Amino acid sequence: MSEQQHITLPEGSIERQTQTLNLGPTHPATHGVFQNILEIDGERIVSSESTVGYIHRAFEKIAERRPYYQITPLTDRLNYCSSPINNMGWHMTVEKLLGIQTPKRVDYLRVIIMELARITDHLICNGVVGVDSGAFSGFLYLMKYRELAYEIYEEICGSRLTTNIGRVGGFERNFTPAAFEKIERFLKEYPVALKEFETLMNRNRIFMERTQGVGPISAERAINYGFTGPNLRAAGVDYDVRVAQPYSSYEDFEFNIPVGTTGDCYDRFLVRNAEMWESLSIIRQAMDKLKDLPSDVYHADVPAYYLPEKSAVYTKMEALIYHFKIIMGESDILPGELYNPVEGANGELGFYLISDGGRSPYRLHFRRPCFIYYQAYAELIKGAMLSDAVICMSSLNLIAGELDA
């Protein structure tokens, strides 16, 4: 047999060409409106360029033209899978500026809602990771309990997805008996569903082969990029804002911080599953703590910043004056500069606020964790298969609402 000769292909021949493929901005797997321009060799990703800006909502600039209490609905549209955490984070930022101390019962009620929102966010993320690996039934099973969580939101504030829940100083109304009944039902039924979901997915050979070793990131690289939340903890770093900088009386609760080792899709999946169990434990602790507190307290005593009851506005001059001043943005706001972080479902959600004493923020910046994760996406999928790029995006839980603010 003669020796094979090495043939040099001419420049521009079809064997040497790669293909350019748009993953987004209109694609069901992108979880929103953003684009990835992929250079692929067959199904192998050679390089990637990510782009944002398709929503172009300018929420930060809109907020700088609004009174403080009118900014809450804007925060709903960041990570809309866990809107209540965004709402509470903003309220606590304003309370920090104004020096408002909320009662313990308000703190515990907020913790219940924030942890419930964390669960709904994680169940969507992990359910979609399952879908992207070919397992659809687990997603449908968990979504049933997101519906129950939304019913709880409805009982408390009348809304479901974009909740606009609570107010500066507390909640606009007390929790109803029906809300507490639904919370107890959730605590009873969801652990059963979560356990079955884990049984279906965690040791599933197909799922493990689709996720293990896909999109890994080291602890050092994750920190350099600015990762926080489940994606950082999956890389082995036990940073959690609830522990590092406790707020809303989180220091009163006992819970663990789940961490991974490899920072790949599988570890991110396991960390979010584990965090749901911790959130259920925190909600149970909060429900128990509420039993020892007065049941009629649901806001701080700050009439200059908390809207009075409508019946009082109709019958009392003092309430009418406070109502007018708050609605028209004439309440005195202290000047100052601060940064207030909370542990969002996707990571550290921060509010950097500068006040010059006016009716609106002088400057406001939202630290959106998804915007930071997305910077690393091109690196995570380089050299991976096209199908891996989709599941990697799901495991990072990239929400377009946080990319473009």
Side-chain angles (χ1 to χ4, degrees):
M1 185 175 180
S2 62
E3 184 179 349
Q4 288 185 341
Q5 294 182 349
H6 178 71
I7 301 175
T8 303
L9 295 171
E11 191 70 30
S13 69
I14 192 169
E15 288 82 5
R16 292 177 60 88
Q17 287 180 346
T18 57
Q19 302 290 323
T20 300
L21 179 70
N22 278 294
L23 181 60
T26 54
H27 190 288
T30 58
H31 305 252
V33 189
F34 51 97
Q35 181 189 36
N36 295 280
I37 305 171
L38 308 180
E39 182 188 1
I40 58 175
D41 181 4
E43 288 196 36
R44 186 75 60 183
I45 298 170
V46 178
S47 64
S48 172
E49 181 179 344
S50 305
T51 59
V52 298
Y54 287 92
I55 303 177
H56 196 62
R57 300 173 300 179
F59 278 173
E60 292 169 344
K61 286 303 173 187
I62 293 173
E64 291 169 8
R65 299 294 182 270
R66 285 191 175 188
Y68 284 79
Y69 82 98
Q70 289 186 2
I71 294 172
T72 308
L74 298 179
T75 66
D76 284 327
R77 277 80 180 169
L78 296 174
N79 182 353
Y80 35 75
C81 293
S82 50
S83 297
I85 300 180
N86 309 339
N87 301 156
M88 306 300 178
W90 171 245
H91 298 153
M92 286 183 273
T93 301
V94 180
E95 290 162 5
K96 189 174 181 179
L97 175 68
L98 300 176
I100 296 173
Q101 182 66 45
T102 52
K104 279 289 184 183
R105 187 170 188 272
V106 171
D107 289 350
Y108 296 157
L109 292 176
R110 283 177 169 175
V111 165
I112 290 172
I113 297 302
M114 287 189 288
E115 293 307 313
L116 195 62
R118 195 180 317 280
I119 292 173
T120 59
D121 193 284
H122 286 355
L123 72 84
I124 293 169
C125 175
N126 278 2
V128 170
V129 171
V131 171
D132 289 342
S133 67
F136 192 42
S137 56
F139 173 74
L140 294 177
Y141 192 32
L142 292 186
M143 284 293 285
K144 171 183 174 182
Y145 294 94
R146 190 189 77 157
E147 192 68 20
L148 177 54
Y150 279 8
E151 289 181 17
I152 296 170
Y153 298 163
E154 281 187 296
E155 285 291 340
I156 295 167
C157 68
S159 299
R160 292 165 55 83
L161 181 69
T162 50
T163 49
N164 190 26
I165 194 170
R167 295 291 181 268
V168 173
F171 290 88
E172 70 273 17
R173 67 193 77 172
N174 203 352
F175 284 27
T176 64
F180 285 115
E181 290 172 7
K182 290 180 185 293
I183 294 170
E184 289 288 356
R185 179 185 161 197
F186 187 91
L187 290 174
K188 179 182 179 181
E189 296 181 8
Y190 186 65
V192 178
L194 180 57
K195 184 64 177 176
E196 289 193 47
F197 179 74
E198 289 185 325
T199 302
L200 174 68
M201 303 298 295
N202 285 14
R203 304 301 298 171
N204 184 302
R205 177 51 55 188
I206 297 174
F207 180 73
M208 293 170 69
E209 290 180 354
R210 285 298 313 277
T211 55
Q212 288 183 337
V214 175
I217 187 168
S218 67
E220 182 182 6
R221 289 297 289 162
I223 291 172
N224 288 343
Y225 268 114
F227 275 32
T228 53
N231 294 335
L232 176 64
R233 292 190 283 272
V237 182
D238 62 344
Y239 173 74
D240 190 309
V241 180
R242 295 171 294 176
V243 175
Q245 303 177 58
Y247 55 92
S248 196
S249 296
Y250 266 108
E251 65 274 11
D252 297 347
F253 298 87
E254 294 183 6
F255 58 96
N256 298 316
I257 304 176
V259 294
T261 54
T262 63
D264 61 9
C265 293
Y266 188 65
D267 267 8
R268 290 192 280 267
F269 177 86
L270 294 181
V271 164
R272 283 188 171 88
N273 273 348
E275 286 191 8
M276 285 192 275
W277 288 109
E278 296 301 323
S279 292
L280 288 167
S281 172
I282 292 171
I283 294 172
R284 169 49 61 198
Q285 292 177 57
M287 292 287 282
D288 293 339
K289 291 178 185 296
L290 290 177
K291 296 175 182 177
D292 300 326
L293 299 173
S295 60
D296 58 345
V297 176
Y298 57 93
H299 64 85
D301 184 19
V302 282
Y305 306 108
Y306 182 86
L307 281 171
E309 294 281 349
K310 186 62 72 174
S311 58
V313 175
Y314 290 146
T315 56
K316 298 177 182 178
M317 178 56 69
E318 185 179 27
L320 177 62
I321 292 171
Y322 280 130
H323 184 275
F324 177 82
K325 291 182 69 175
I326 294 171
I327 292 296
M328 299 306 294
E330 295 183 3
S331 298
D332 293 331
I333 302 295
L334 298 174
E337 180 177 354
L338 61 90
Y339 173 75
N340 184 62
V342 296
E343 183 65 31
N346 262 346
E348 182 175 322
L349 173 66
F351 301 86
Y352 177 58
L353 171 65
I354 301 177
S355 168
D356 60 358
R359 67 191 295 268
S360 303
Y362 175 71
R363 285 290 183 270
L364 179 61
H365 173 66
F366 302 134
R367 184 200 186 275
R368 300 101 60 199
C370 284
F371 182 71
I372 293 166
Y373 301 147
Y374 196 42
Q375 317 308 308
Y377 183 63
E379 178 181 323
L380 296 183
I381 64 173
K382 185 176 182 180
M385 301 292 284
L386 180 59
S387 57
D388 293 337
V390 173
I391 204 166
C392 182
M393 183 183 298
S394 299
S395 72
L396 289 173
N397 200 21
L398 295 176
I399 305 296
E402 283 193 347
L403 298 183
D404 194 10

